[in-house]
Amino acid sequence: MAESSESRPLDGIRVVELSSFVASPLCGLTLAQLGAEVIRVDPVGGAADVHRWPLAPGGTSIYWTGLNRGKSSVTLDLRSDEGRQSFRDLVTAPGEGSGILVTNSGGREWMSHERLAAARPDVITLELLGRRDGRPGVDYTVNAALGFPAITGQDGEAGGGQVVNHALPAWDVAAGLHAALAVVSAVRERERTGRGRRIVLPLDDVALATAGALGYLTEPQVDGSSRPAVGNYVYGTFGKDFTTADGGRVMVVALTTRHFHDLARLTGTRDAVDALESATGADFGTEADRYSYREVLSALFARWFSAHTTAEVTRALEDSVVLHERYRTFDQVVAEGDLEANPLFSPLDQPGIGAYLAAAHPATFGGRHLATGPAPGLGADTDRLTTVHPTTEHPTTRET
């Protein structure tokens, strides 16, 4: 049977999410975009991220609503026995696609995998940790310990060896996406075997695994070296930012020999580049030599950029094969119409914020992006998803 245009890959999957901040809510958002029913559970009054900046003029958290689009919201008194039982009932509710928990608030016996498995043996739990030994950690502290701030910014001689934090919480983002993949993998395993699974995903291990795969941790093991801080140069090839005559800035990357030759052509430096290559015995057909002589080459290219306006530079680069982009701010991205021109974005009316263009899942399925509705009001679905069982003293879940 052909797939319905309205169907989604994870239709029929139900996930309970007890979380805050970035990684765990991003996991839930990703699963929701792919079709899962995701129920976010918060303590009464909201978790620590409910009012996190940035805020809309009326005080609603743009951050919180952005990460919780398309979910249901339940608030429970998780300090009470009744609230904890209601939470367990939500997680272990019957149904082929139910019985899944994602949380960054693990380590509590009352919601442990073992406790939940006693009520539903095939339960799947994913616990996001800060550090693999159970100690707390966030993106910014994990990143500091790993070494990336030490190579972000200028080198020791030019920049004083200062560490520079990057603005993107990369490890939170990577952990959230790894978590979503792990959940889907465990669901697939359960469909084949009938078994549940306890998954533990430490943020610092996500960072270490990524750094290892990209060679940052292999270099010091192989030759004792550590990646240097090279500012806006691209390590191991030729890439650099340049300033234009009217103060604009562009990022230029020449990954291949073809890119590099075209950069020399459009900047009118081909003869000078050839002379430098001949005088030094370098081979600019290799990435290694283009990187080794990056400062001299950049000085040659920079004169052309500084003599032309941003518009002139942009037009010339667009007529070349050189990889490039103009540096912009977020408000410029919006003002210049990128969102309206991209089918990834569609109108969303978010209570407390208003109407804006919101991103769907970046992949297309059958030619379409998978979007969600707005974020719920905090606790908006509590009554619908939980009720007091008439024969007990604690709330239980009713199927929806």
Side-chain angles (χ1 to χ4, degrees):
M1 178 181 292
E3 181 181 72
S4 166
S5 61
E6 298 302 317
S7 69
R8 298 187 183 222
L10 298 185
D11 283 346
I13 300 300
R14 190 193 206 207
V15 178
V16 176
E17 172 198 315
L18 178 63
S19 66
S20 56
F21 299 109
V22 179
S24 188
L26 180 60
C27 171
L29 172 63
T30 303
L31 296 172
Q33 289 171 328
L34 294 173
E37 176 192 5
V38 178
I39 303 167
R40 170 155 173 164
V41 178
D42 284 279
V44 176
D49 61 343
V50 69
H51 298 302
R52 198 177 191 201
W53 283 18
L55 305 178
T60 299
S61 172
I62 295 172
Y63 170 96
W64 193 93
T65 53
L67 283 169
N68 291 292
R69 286 173 287 138
K71 302 176 186 178
S72 301
S73 175
V74 168
T75 55
L76 296 170
D77 178 5
L78 297 175
R79 298 190 179 199
S80 71
D81 291 340
E82 294 82 0
R84 292 175 176 182
Q85 184 59 50
S86 184
F87 175 80
R88 289 191 293 267
D89 288 345
L90 268 176
V91 176
T92 61
E96 183 180 352
S98 300
I100 305 167
L101 169 65
V102 172
T103 184
N104 66 335
S105 300
R108 294 164 171 79
E109 189 281 331
W110 62 267
M111 55 176 283
S112 67
H113 179 86
E114 292 74 19
R115 183 74 177 267
L116 296 169
R120 178 165 179 158
D122 67 347
V123 70
I124 295 168
T125 62
L126 187 143
E127 181 181 348
L128 281 148
L129 302 178
R131 302 183 182 186
R132 61 193 170 280
D133 61 6
R135 290 180 297 155
V138 295
D139 187 283
Y140 310 100
T141 58
V142 166
N143 196 50
L146 181 57
F148 278 97
I151 66 168
T152 303
Q154 299 296 332
D155 61 28
E157 183 177 346
Q162 296 181 352
V163 295
V164 178
N165 290 333
H166 55 71
L168 175 71
W171 310 125
D172 279 337
V173 172
L177 299 178
H178 274 295
L181 177 60
V183 168
V184 172
S185 299
V187 169
R188 170 61 177 145
E189 180 186 42
R190 187 171 70 179
E191 290 172 345
R192 289 188 297 107
T193 68
R195 294 194 299 267
R197 177 71 74 174
R198 179 181 182 232
I199 306 166
V200 177
L201 183 63
L203 190 64
D204 59 353
D205 278 351
V206 169
L208 286 164
T210 305
L214 296 178
Y216 291 95
L217 299 178
T218 307
E219 289 175 276
Q221 296 178 75
V222 171
D223 61 14
S225 67
S226 184
R227 191 77 57 91
V230 294
N232 286 343
Y233 287 106
V234 177
Y235 178 75
T237 190
F238 185 83
K240 180 71 169 66
D241 63 312
F242 293 95
T243 303
T244 63
D246 54 356
R249 295 180 74 179
V250 294
M251 183 66 192
V252 172
V253 181
L255 282 177
T256 69
T257 302
R258 184 176 178 229
H259 296 156
F260 183 77
H261 285 166
D262 214 22
L263 178 59
R265 175 196 60 78
L266 74 88
T267 57
T269 60
R270 185 60 189 266
D271 290 343
V273 168
D274 288 346
L276 175 64
E277 189 175 35
S278 177
T280 61
D283 178 3
F284 293 148
T286 67
E287 286 190 290
D289 281 359
R290 294 197 295 269
Y291 176 74
S292 297
Y293 289 89
R294 62 191 181 278
E295 294 178 343
V296 179
L297 292 168
S298 294
L300 290 174
F301 300 146
R303 295 188 64 182
W304 179 85
F305 286 93
S306 65
H308 293 80
T309 66
T310 303
E312 292 169 338
V313 167
T314 299
R315 284 195 296 270
L317 287 169
E318 287 176 345
D319 289 335
S320 76
V321 298
V322 180
L323 305 172
H324 68 280
E325 272 297 348
R326 172 170 54 98
Y327 282 87
R328 296 189 295 173
T329 58
F330 292 120
D331 59 306
Q332 287 176 317
V333 173
V334 173
E336 293 175 14
D338 290 38
L339 277 58
E340 289 89 346
N342 191 335
L344 172 67
F345 291 86
S346 59
L348 180 74
D349 189 3
Q350 176 63 58
I353 293 179
Y356 68 97
L357 294 175
H361 193 282
T364 58
F365 292 78
R368 69 187 181 102
H369 290 285
L370 305 180
T372 67
L378 184 66
D381 303 287
T382 304
D383 290 342
R384 176 173 68 87
L385 293 171
T386 63
T387 186
V388 177
H389 194 286
T391 60
T392 67
E393 296 180 354
H394 60 75
T396 58
T397 303
R398 67 167 180 262
E399 291 187 273
T400 58

